[in-house]
Amino acid sequence: MTHHSRPNAPTQFLDTADYSARDANVRCLSYAVVRKLAGLPQDLFADYWRDVLGPLCARLPGISYYAQHHFSRDHWANLWPLPDGVRRMDVVLDGAAEIGFADIDGMSGYAKASPVLFADVFHLFEHIVAYNLPRGADTLVDREPDGIPNGPDQLHRLHLHLNGGSGEGFRPWLSEWARQLASAPAVRKLRLHLPEQYDNAHPAPPSPHGDHQVSEDRKDIGVIEIGFASALTAREFCESETYRATIEDQRRHLCSVGAFLVTGVYTYVRGGLLTTAGLRGSRAAELIEKIGAVNQKREEVAHLFAQGPHQQHHSN
């Protein structure tokens, strides 16, 4: 077992290299949040999203990066401390999908092809909202050696949705606060998303199915993806003087916060190339990894699953 997969490993044994540069080629981004259809079993929803919709989306043109983050619907208590005066964001979400592009042309190509996905909105999603990040996200620290995770999350990872009431100083403060958090040794990964303000009059994605409207405190948000080695490490960090010194500024700039616990991360495209999950499906990729079937990763086998001779994929 490698050190980075041990959630309670001492800090001095954890990988201290920073892999944040690998996100540099993602210059445009869509960050979409989803809630499953009422009455659809959680496992059926998660399996279909992961193993059917995931590989289909991965094959659309223009995509440089595509990953799904599945959230825990049941665990939302005590994930992130809320300072006095800051409300808990009242929304239930089952996950988030990030689709990244190397340039605006890639995004345009994907947008033209994306209606092929809309039928699956009918099968899966009661609520789906896509935030646009024309300048991408900022990866401030990334100490995950594996750039194409596919399975249960090896970190204690949260997505924090932060609303500042559209205050003038909110975004500059949030950028500075994210840098402060990222500099702490306990933080294994931190990405900052500052999307354009969402407009209910122009719903995204433009699917005829599902609810694409957001409440007032979800229109103008920042999103922080933050990961720790364990829940214990996260709690110790939130009780540290480094974090507590920022509480007064949080009270000044934040109106509401939603904290979502990630249960699994599934990566289908990285660097413009299909991963094994993108090529074969997430579950098949996980089985190949678990059993050590290196033969399934070889070019002559992978080529049989490609749509054509132009289809490239990761070999690792």
Side-chain angles (χ1 to χ4, degrees), residues 58 72 153 172 207 250:
S72 171
D153 201 349
S207 162
Q250 290 183 57

Side-chain angles (χ1 to χ4, degrees), residues 31 33 89 93 159-163 221-223 256-260:
Y31 176 87
V33 294
M89 195 176 285
L93 297 174
H159 282 214
L160 302 176
H161 291 194
L162 305 132
N163 170 258
I221 64 169
V223 176
S256 61
V257 176
F260 305 95

Side-chain angles (χ1 to χ4, degrees), residues 46-64:
D47 290 349
Y48 190 94
W49 186 27
R50 171 184 172 187
D51 287 319
V52 180
L53 181 56
L56 172 61
C57 182
R59 285 168 164 77
L60 297 188
I63 297 177
S64 181

Side-chain angles (χ1 to χ4, degrees), residues 22-23 25-30 57-58 62-69 97-102 142 144 147-149 157 189 191 193 225 265-273 275:
R22 64 185 164 209
D23 291 338
N25 67 334
V26 179
R27 298 183 178 89
C28 308
L29 190 69
S30 170
C57 182
I63 297 177
S64 181
Y65 174 70
Y66 172 38
Q68 294 177 1
H69 294 250
E98 289 187 275
I99 304 179
F101 310 90
D142 184 356
E144 286 189 284
I148 52 173
R157 188 190 317 254
K189 184 166 186 176
R191 299 181 71 222
H193 304 65
E225 174 194 336
V265 182
Y266 309 95
T267 312
Y268 300 87
V269 183
R270 164 66 82 175
L273 304 179
T275 66

